[in-house]
Amino acid sequence: MHFQLTDDQRALQSGMRELLAGRFDRDALRAAVDATVDAPGTLDRRLWRELGDAGFFALRLPEDEGGVGLGLPEAVLLFEEAGRALLPGPLIATHLAAGVVKGAADGSVVVTQSDGALIEWYEASDAVAGEAVAEGAAVPVRSVDPLTPLHRLHEPATTSDPLVGLLTAAEQLGSAARTTEMAVQYARERQQFGAPIGSFQAVKHLCAQMLARTELARAAVYAAAVTGDLADIAGAKLLADEAAVRCARDCLQVHGGMGFTWEADVHLHLKRAWVRKERWVSEATLTELLAELLVEVG
Amino acid sequence: MDLTYTEEEEEFRARLRQWLGQVLPGLGPKPDPNDWPGRRTYDMGWQRRLYEAGYAGLHWPVDAGGKGATPTQHLIFLEETERAGAPYVGANFVGLLHAGPTIAAEGTPEQKRKWLPPILSGDEVWCQGFSEPDAGSDLAALRTKAVRDGDEYVITGSKIWTSHAEVADWCELLVRTDPISDTVPKHRGISWLAMPMDAPGVTIRPLRTLAGSTEFAEMFLDEVRVPVANRVGAENDGWRVTMVTLSFERGTAFVGEVVACRRTLIALATEARKNGRWDDPSLRRKLALLSAEFAALWRLTQWNVSESEATGGVPGIGGSVFKLRYSHARQELYDTAAEVLGAGALDLDHEWVLDRLSSLSYTIAAGTSQIQQNIIAERILGLPKGR
Ligand SMILES: Cc1cc2nc3c(=O)[nH]c(=O)nc-3n(C[C@H](O)[C@H](O)[C@H](O)COP(=O)(O)OP(=O)(O)OC[C@H]3O[C@@H](n4cnc5c(N)ncnc54)[C@H](O)[C@@H]3O)c2cc1C
């Protein structure tokens, strides 16, 4: 056993981080948010294609099918980076459609999928994977997350690919890591009572808990990517949801009044984390599944 | 210990109920949350009706234009108006709950005559200019400076997070009249002023909240001239004057909301039964615990009010206990609402989703939860002071 990233995995991770720093940095994120005021639900197709060129969608396709030929652990690392940067779009659906829907692999086509009662990026997408959506069956919702347009389905879809759960958990992990960093940075810089607020135990301990939550989720998500086991994925999703939502909340708290503003990025993380929490299978069902397994194993 | 109300109090409740039953159906529709002038008109219109019916400033002393009612009657008023679904104090929050009570407690007879009647009649809106970019939790570090020039102060500095600044007529402003030095600790040298919002040199820049609305603002003050006569309390005694206001804020400002939360809880249970989530025992238990929490918060309020009745109307330090638990419980309430709504929790058109967003400020505004815990630890428990 050697449960650590390989050199190649590390290189892949930093390559993705660099790509996003160049193509979707904070300014680009805020510009995308601002653009939703006039044109909600528009997706940057050029960026989508660039992601395709970088192998983001074709990552797990075999090389002889034009893919990169890598596995789930590598996919999880890329989606973690996407979560960190709050990269918008139906990334998971398009990734899972590579090799199935023509044009998904190279990013020339945007694919979304129905998931439970919701469907993300419905209007901006070229195709819907999974259960077909009948004409007029998807009703627009005023989405809480400015960068995730949503439609509601009258008939909830029943497709539940565990990989949606795993890759979503990876995005949650990236977001949790990022809000932890944001909180720590702010706690270092912001001064009250003549000292950095990070020197007060109340703030310090909030930050410490954020890190602990994130690292536990990381272990669960990476392990689930290696085993691909349903119970592991279920546990990883639960922990990563908790980490992303809780860390965003604590990050908001550490920022005080600033955290409650539109200008601060923390609300974008929180809202996206809420959206991702609704994906795949509900918390109630996942916990019931794990409870059942306890009895079966015993 | 007695939880029954006196005959007089019950009569008061019955009369109030009857009046609410008559007046509420005739009220116009609520304005759009982003229509600030519309909100001001709506909130002030309600205050006007209260005024005309003799319910304005119920618990204020008679010499302040109030009715001199007991804190218990005030509690009944807050309970009944909320229960009947009457408008929330809204834009009148600072006037009725911070600035007004401060002026009533610390102002000269002339100041009371000038500022209190228009608050009660719904003619003038106040905002609170306390926090600054570098003075939030450490409020006493505020730096906005006021220099005496004859019978005026000349004020320069900036304030932040000023709620309702865009529609306010007056601002209760904290300024530094004596610079911090080796001999002047930061709590000294602060003064409390009433600043007209239309004074030359006042610039307002609205700030957007995470819910997308411009609930609060930045306020830049460039050589704003305010008469010395607008100072409430002695020069450099503003910190003590402020503490009176803050204890009001933490004491009774959220009473109506507790009643509202109990109503929401019932609505959540009803919705859960309708959409099937009621079958999830973990959700039912969460709702049940919240029910116990809000019932107890209501009892704690009654306790605090009875205590303040004994101490002459100024809410005690127990307000911090209430504030700490209440703000947390309110956030839990709306997290549970999200569970009830399921996918609907992502739909901004649902009232509970907006309430969930605004509940995020509860552990920050009016003193963060961390600061409340410091107050409880140091001032109630007497533990050694940290920084
Ligand atoms: C919706 C809203 C409305 C508001 N309306 C008004 C208004 O009308 N007028 C007005 O004057 N102000 C208003 N405020 C400001 C509010 O009072 C401040 O935001 C609050 O006091 C916190 O200050 P801050 O934002 O500077 O955070 P900071 O003080 O910078 O706090 C940042 C973090 O550090 C923590 N911290 C700071 N000091 C300590 C310590 N000693 N020990 C432990 N932890 C500590 C805090 O708990 C917080 O988590 C409003 C705020 C909000 C969110």
Side-chain angles (χ1 to χ4, degrees), chain A residues 142 190 192 253 260 262 271, chain B residues 133 138 210 348-349 363:
Chain A
R142 209 153 66 84
R190 171 74 174 164
Q192 283 290 275
Q253 187 66 24
F260 194 65
W262 187 268
K271 291 166 177 175
Chain B
D138 186 11
L210 51 68
L348 275 179
D349 281 327
T363 47

Side-chain angles (χ1 to χ4, degrees), chain A residues 131-214:
Chain A
E131 282 173 41
V133 177
E135 189 67 33
V139 188
V141 164
R142 209 153 66 84
S143 173
V144 72
D145 177 16
L147 284 183
T148 311
L150 291 172
H151 279 66
R152 227 187 140 94
L153 297 169
H154 293 310
E155 293 285 323
T158 49
T159 37
S160 64
D161 183 349
L163 292 191
V164 172
L166 177 65
L167 297 178
T168 297
E171 291 180 328
Q172 295 286 55
L173 169 63
S175 173
R178 180 73 195 118
T179 50
T180 303
E181 280 174 17
M182 283 158 57
V184 170
Q185 192 188 344
Y186 194 75
R188 280 211 182 98
E189 289 166 4
R190 171 74 174 164
Q191 303 250 342
Q192 283 290 275
F193 301 96
I197 56 168
S199 68
F200 307 131
Q201 280 199 356
V203 173
K204 198 181 279 178
H205 289 182
L206 274 179
C207 294
Q209 288 284 1
M210 290 169 80
L211 181 86
R213 244 183 252 126
T214 305

Side-chain angles (χ1 to χ4, degrees), chain A residues 186-187 190-193 195-204 206 250-261, chain B residues 93-94 98 126-139 159-165 171-172 174 209 215-217 246 249-250 358 360-374 378 386-387:
Chain A
Y186 194 75
R190 171 74 174 164
Q191 303 250 342
Q192 283 290 275
F193 301 96
I197 56 168
S199 68
F200 307 131
Q201 280 199 356
V203 173
K204 198 181 279 178
L206 274 179
D250 288 349
C251 180
L252 198 158
Q253 187 66 24
V254 168
H255 279 74
M258 202 58 85
F260 194 65
T261 62
Chain B
F93 191 94
V94 173
H98 306 181
W126 284 66
C127 64
Q128 185 188 63
F130 287 7
S131 306
E132 295 182 5
D134 290 326
S137 296
D138 186 11
L139 181 58
K159 295 287 174 178
I160 195 168
W161 318 126
T162 319
S163 304
H164 300 119
C171 176
E172 51 164 342
L174 287 185
T209 70
E215 207 87 14
F216 45 32
L246 287 187
E249 183 175 17
R250 285 166 198 167
S358 70
L360 296 169
S361 73
Y362 276 66
T363 47
I364 296 166
T368 70
S369 289
Q370 286 71 35
I371 294 301
Q372 303 300 344
Q373 290 175 83
N374 285 347
E378 291 165 10
R387 277 192 295 194

Side-chain angles (χ1 to χ4, degrees), chain B residues 96-309:
Chain B
L96 284 172
L97 297 163
H98 306 181
T102 304
I103 296 164
E106 300 282 333
T108 63
E110 211 171 301
Q111 290 175 331
K112 290 184 202 176
R113 263 198 308 279
K114 176 169 181 196
W115 288 315
L116 297 180
I119 293 177
L120 294 177
S121 61
D123 285 308
E124 286 180 355
V125 171
W126 284 66
C127 64
Q128 185 188 63
F130 287 7
S131 306
E132 295 182 5
D134 290 326
S137 296
D138 186 11
L139 181 58
L142 62 94
R143 283 199 307 230
T144 292
K145 119 185 135 178
V147 180
R148 191 87 176 240
D149 180 23
D151 54 6
E152 287 180 326
Y153 287 112
V154 182
I155 304 165
T156 302
S158 61
K159 295 287 174 178
I160 195 168
W161 318 126
T162 319
S163 304
H164 300 119
E166 282 180 277
V167 295
D169 305 294
W170 292 93
C171 176
E172 51 164 342
L173 190 73
L174 287 185
V175 293
R176 186 158 294 288
T177 34
D178 202 359
I180 303 173
S181 69
D182 291 347
T183 51
V184 181
K186 61 186 176 181
H187 298 87
R188 311 260 170 77
I190 292 173
S191 299
W192 193 107
L193 302 179
M195 179 182 76
M197 290 296 280
D198 60 1
V202 179
T203 310
I204 308 289
R205 193 175 79 92
L207 289 167
R208 276 178 93 194
T209 70
L210 51 68
S213 63
T214 52
E215 207 87 14
F216 45 32
E218 270 178 295
M219 200 161 65
F220 302 98
L221 308 173
D222 182 18
E223 303 200 346
V224 179
R225 291 186 163 265
V226 170
V228 171
N230 285 18
R231 192 189 66 229
V232 170
E235 190 170 78
N236 300 332
D237 194 29
W239 185 254
R240 191 191 55 77
V241 172
T242 304
M243 285 304 122
V244 174
T245 321
L246 287 187
S247 64
F248 274 106
E249 183 175 17
R250 285 166 198 167
T252 51
F254 303 102
V255 169
E257 294 186 23
V258 174
V259 179
C261 284
R262 292 173 74 189
R263 261 216 326 242
T264 303
L265 203 50
I266 292 165
L268 288 184
T270 312
E271 174 63 25
R273 290 191 76 140
K274 221 167 67 191
N275 71 19
R277 291 207 166 73
W278 190 248
D279 295 339
D280 176 357
S282 93
L283 174 71
R284 285 205 308 274
R285 283 176 199 154
K286 260 184 219 168
L287 289 171
L289 277 175
L290 281 167
S291 165
E293 177 87 16
F294 282 108
L297 280 168
W298 175 249
R299 295 309 191 193
L300 180 62
T301 306
Q302 288 180 309
W303 178 273
N304 287 344
V305 161
S306 297
E307 186 184 54
S308 82
E309 219 150 33

